[in-house]
């Protein structure tokens, strides 16, 4: 498998150098692998820190900026960052109002953020944590006890980010983040396997003519394999799986997310089918986002995330945001 | 090759339905295949209309909105839209101040926009045209006499769009667009072939272990094939090819553009190498944009575009823009 890289060993460092050159509004510490809002710490504001393995860009580094994350810690590809990175990020963004760690539910991430929280508290930084576990595909998986954290991470980071930028206190920002996670569900499909730079070949075998329903963002196995389905059939299955687990009483935010190698033309077409299913099921839609946001390197496929929102969460979602990966209102 | 579609015949219509659902700020006429700013025509403002084959998203429909295009006409995949679409778009956006057609240099697009200009003028709409032909890879190509139009289209649409939104007259907006094109150069590489829905298999054969230098955005042949190169070597070659043809006396805008299936992680790493080459060659950089903007469906690869800007062009580039694919300042 050909890649646009120098050598696998420097992929993350090279990307951070390139990100620094493209985004002077961010402070990118290439050596220590921390991406921080240039204006951090913002007086009186709760800091939001997230992170995880690289390979899911723009998540998380591309969501750093006003209205969203204060800092992100990129690990090696598909590998948790280490506690040192997280503590460094927390120290860089803490204004005294405390820091919220946003943690996708993968065992390595959970352990390392737990340790980082203890270390940061030893340094006098108040820390709260929220676990994102929105993927309804499977309970327990290759790298996870319980449900995996996937597309809802975008909503948690966006909505809690808006609450933090308004000056809400740590306890309240953490409660908002938890509320978003509890009201979000995701389901993903893969049309092709993912290739990591270190391995250089597909990390799993997906036969021609089959797709994997319920794929994880590291290529972890899902629910089942089936002969290739149409966009409409996939939308029926994915939205159906979500609505088996969530009965929205309020309108939903809809994320139709590309895994990396699926053209935007196809994602928009898939969105049309997702909207059809939601209409058939009587689910009112508040906002729709279509694009590559929580990716899995060069995997072909897509995921659907629904996030049920009340007026307050919708107001925070609509609030201005200015990051490399998500921007509106400023 | 698996795709997230229903049937090849409805790919463009499905995508437009999905785009309409995601972007209530646009008027998407699915039947007639025209995407228009909802507030068009804007009194006193020159209308900007572009279009071309589908498969290059977000170009062009994703660049419709305040500060950029007034309307876009998507053709079938890799196929020019027809004059009827262009005339309809022109009529929808003309406020009496005239319309600028932005045309990528492919034979079908050129002929159809020429015919549309005549038809629109027959209806009393004043039309000017600008041809985008920035690709230095080859002179004459599979679908082109002269150089192909690629990445610079983004700069022409953004900068002329800002001039139009300021209320500049048609003659001036057209002159700005031509100036941007004349000061832009691009060069692209492919690491994998592209698969169109209609064909369902790669449109050309690129052996494992080789890349194509100078690829077109429809998979047209470039300059040569070589054994796979590192990101640094590719940056040397691509930027070198551009600087053989353009000697910037002013700072440049840099677009590091993904062809569709190359992960953002790799694009950022490639940007680091592009910036290294520009620094070595003494070319000052004003702004950098990294992402999938002018794509070729599921092709893996990237292109580099440089656009030399004086203070006025840079001011117009920095002006607010609000479209699905490009957004800042509003």
């Amino acid at each position: 498998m050909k890649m646009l890289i120098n050598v696998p060993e420097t992929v993350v460092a090279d990307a951070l150098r390139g990100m620094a050159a493209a985004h002077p509004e961010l402070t990118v510490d290439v050596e220590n692998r921390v991406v921080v809002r240039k204006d951090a710490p913002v007086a009186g504001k709760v800091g939001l820190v997230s992170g995880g393995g690289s390979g899911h860009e723009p998540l998380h580094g591309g969501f750093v900026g006003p209205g969203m994350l204060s800092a992100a810690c990129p690990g090696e590809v598909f590998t948790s960052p280490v506690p040192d990175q997280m503590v460094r990020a927390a120290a860089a963004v803490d204004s005294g109002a405390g820091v919220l760690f946003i943690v996708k539910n993968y065992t390595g991430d959970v352990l390392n953020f737990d340790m980082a929280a203890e270390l940061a508290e030893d340094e006098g930084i108040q820390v709260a944590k929220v676990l994102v576990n929105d993927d309804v595909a499977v309970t327990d998986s290759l790298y996870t006890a319980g449900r995996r954290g996937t597309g809802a991470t975008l909503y948690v980071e966006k909505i809690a980010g808006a609450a933090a930028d308004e000056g809400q206190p740590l306890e309240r920002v953490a409660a908002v983040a938890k509320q978003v996670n509890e009201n979000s569900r995701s389901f993903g499909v893969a049309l092709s396997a993912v290739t990591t730079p270190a391995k250089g070949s597909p990390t799993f075998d997906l036969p021609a003519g089959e797709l994997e329903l319920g794929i994880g963002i590291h290529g972890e196995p899902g629910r089942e394999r089936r002969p290739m389905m149409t966009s409409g059939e996939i939308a029926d299955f994915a939205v159906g799986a979500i609505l088996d687990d969530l009965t929205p009483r309020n309108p939903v935010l809809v994320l139709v997310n590309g895994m990396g190698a699926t053209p935007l033309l196809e994602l928009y077409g898939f969105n049309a089918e997702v909207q059809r299913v939601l209409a058939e099921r009587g689910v009112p839609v508040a906002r729709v986002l279509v694009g590559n946001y929580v990716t899995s390197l060069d995997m072909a496929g897509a995921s659907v995330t629904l996030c049920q929102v009340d007026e307050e969460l919708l107001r925070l979602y609509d609030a201005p945001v200015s990051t490399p990966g998500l921007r509106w209102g400023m």
Side-chain angles (χ1 to χ4, degrees), chain A:
Chain A
M1 190 65 75
K2 288 165 280 186
M3 293 182 181
L4 187 56
I5 64 172
N6 287 317
V7 292
E9 293 72 20
T10 65
V11 162
V12 174
D14 288 349
L16 289 175
R17 288 191 297 124
M19 192 175 196
H23 298 290
E25 74 278 15
L26 301 176
T27 300
V28 180
D29 181 341
V30 178
E31 191 184 351
N32 295 301
R33 303 205 173 179
V34 180
V35 179
V36 186
R37 272 175 69 158
K38 194 143 258 174
D39 60 356
V42 178
K45 192 184 96 62
V46 168
L48 259 68
V49 173
S50 192
S54 292
H56 307 300
E57 290 68 27
L59 184 84
H60 297 272
F63 295 150
V64 174
M68 215 159 166
L69 292 179
S70 312
C73 314
E76 281 300 315
V77 170
F78 292 176
T79 303
S80 175
V82 295
D84 270 4
Q85 290 171 267
M86 301 158 182
V87 174
R88 197 178 289 268
V93 305
D94 183 37
S95 67
V99 172
L100 176 66
F101 284 171
I102 299 173
V103 187
K104 300 198 302 302
N105 189 31
Y106 298 96
T107 305
D109 293 301
V110 172
L111 290 173
N112 286 334
F113 270 108
D114 278 353
M115 188 178 301
E118 286 180 26
L119 293 169
E121 282 167 351
D122 288 348
E123 294 186 15
I125 301 170
Q126 195 189 351
V127 176
K129 285 176 292 183
V130 60
L131 197 68
V132 183
N133 59 350
D134 54 307
D135 186 346
V136 302
V138 292
T139 307
D140 301 336
S141 180
L142 218 49
Y143 311 113
T144 314
R147 288 180 169 181
R148 300 174 299 219
T150 59
T153 316
L154 179 147
Y155 290 132
V156 172
E157 294 178 359
K158 170 66 188 80
I159 293 173
D165 268 30
E166 286 185 0
Q168 297 192 24
L170 180 58
E171 190 185 1
R172 178 72 199 132
V173 174
V176 165
K178 284 191 179 76
Q179 189 189 354
V180 173
N181 179 60
E182 283 163 7
N183 282 282
S184 298
R185 301 290 188 281
S186 297
F187 191 91
V189 303
L191 275 57
S192 79
V194 52
T195 298
T196 58
K199 187 156 189 292
S201 59
T203 57
F204 63 100
D205 177 51
L206 189 56
E210 288 187 20
L211 83 168
E212 174 103 22
L213 294 162
I215 195 78
I217 57 173
H218 311 91
E220 309 96 303
R223 288 191 184 178
E224 58 176 304
R225 286 176 181 192
R226 288 198 185 176
M228 190 54 199
M229 297 156 67
T230 66
S231 169
E233 291 165 346
I234 295 170
D236 281 318
F237 195 99
V239 176
I242 290 171
L243 295 181
D244 285 346
D245 200 79
L246 177 79
T247 307
R249 286 176 306 274
N250 284 320
V252 295
L253 311 175
V254 182
L255 170 62
V256 171
N257 172 62
M259 290 294 189
T262 290
L264 194 51
L265 188 74
E266 296 179 27
L267 293 179
Y268 273 124
F270 183 50
N271 179 48
E273 297 297 337
V274 168
Q275 299 300 324
R276 171 188 59 74
V277 180
L278 290 170
E280 288 171 2
R281 301 285 293 260
V283 179
V285 172
R287 300 287 183 275
V288 181
L289 196 59
V290 179
N292 293 300
Y293 292 103
V294 180
T295 62
S296 182
L297 288 172
D298 66 340
M299 188 190 282
S303 63
V304 179
T305 302
L306 303 184
C307 174
Q308 178 180 208
V309 288
D310 58 19
E311 282 183 21
E312 174 63 2
L313 292 189
L314 183 57
R315 184 185 71 76
L316 291 169
Y317 178 75
D318 283 341
V321 60
S322 179
T323 71
L326 202 68
R327 184 158 15 186
W328 56 68
M330 66 167 106

